[in-house]
Amino acid sequence: MSAIQVLPKLLGQDWSCWTCDSKPAAGVATPAADEATTGCTINSVESRTEHDDSGSNLDKAIPPCHCLTSASIEDSLDEDSVQNVISEADQRMLRVERRRWTLQREAAEQTSRKQELLELIRQTSIEHQGPPLFREAQGPANRFGSTARFPPFDKSKHVPVLALINRGSGAMAGADILAVAQKMPYYQDRFFNIIDVVRDRRRGGLMDVFRQQLNAAREEAKARGLRPRLISGGGDGTASFALYVIFAALSADPERADEGLADAGNGFIWSDEELSDFFPAIAQMPLGTANDFGANLGWGRKYPGAAALGHIQTSKRASLAEQALQQWISAVISPESHVVGFDVWGFMPAPGAEACDFKLCELG
């Protein structure tokens, strides 16, 4: 289809004769050469040629009159002249249409990317909720018992909670606790192996899943005027590791701004107010050796249920360990548990510098 035939469809039918400024009769959908229809006094190519026969070029000899049929214009104008048929107003309209089409295409691509990301996150979540690959069928039984459970989570009563647990800590006690969480609604979505989260930072990976759950916990806590909580399961160093993961999940990424990672003005996707009000309170699960941090915060120096494993009657060990674990989790999700403030600090380079030198101590 030629440009002349396309233009009426792109630009609409609100036209008038560019020579005599006449308007089409009501109900006329396409240009016509009939004077009775348009009221134009220049009805044909021949009459218009005589009208403008002054020795000028073809564009002047046959001015672009919409009263002519498309066929007559195509017969009289070459390809270069057809470009001159488009008026400045029509060109502006075409630019507007092109811009509108570009915006529609970008919106469609953005929607497609969002759907793709949601599908990747869904698949990763399914893998996350599956049986732990590191526990072989012939491996040791769960120290908390094969039927161990966490206390049921009531969203209307309990504080939103997540967990980042080192599965290898506490002689694999972390792995046993993650295995219990995977069997429980709510907990199976919110309890994460901290090592797997850090390793899987691809688009739609486990870091994205953790971020999604962290945002959900924030909204749940905001609706009830609470601060969400996060269990850091491991040794004293795991607490710092957990803070690193939280900050990594909340860090802005300009390349993924349209996927919820836009900068809130502070380098993070949460505003300063959201960070102040809803940064999760840390509950340290003592799965390490010394566990000074957990002991100082009142969460114990040994992981929940550790004392029960020394019980002389083997049949009661798992039951007592499960009870201790349930009591520990209940304290974390209880709104009655006291929350205290803490400072997060670090050594930062001076503005504009890439690195900095500092001294922790000096031996005399």
Side-chain angles (χ1 to χ4, degrees), residues 10-31:
L10 289 177
L11 303 178
Q13 306 300 331
D14 186 15
W15 55 270
S16 63
C17 176
W18 295 357
T19 300
C20 66
D21 200 31
S22 60
K23 300 289 184 180
V28 177
T30 57

Side-chain angles (χ1 to χ4, degrees), residues 157-186:
K157 185 171 65 174
H158 293 138
V159 180
V161 65
L162 301 97
L164 290 169
I165 296 177
N166 186 340
R167 71 188 185 194
S169 295
M172 299 298 288
D176 289 339
I177 293 170
L178 286 172
V180 175
Q182 287 176 329
K183 297 183 293 185
M184 298 290 298
Y186 184 87

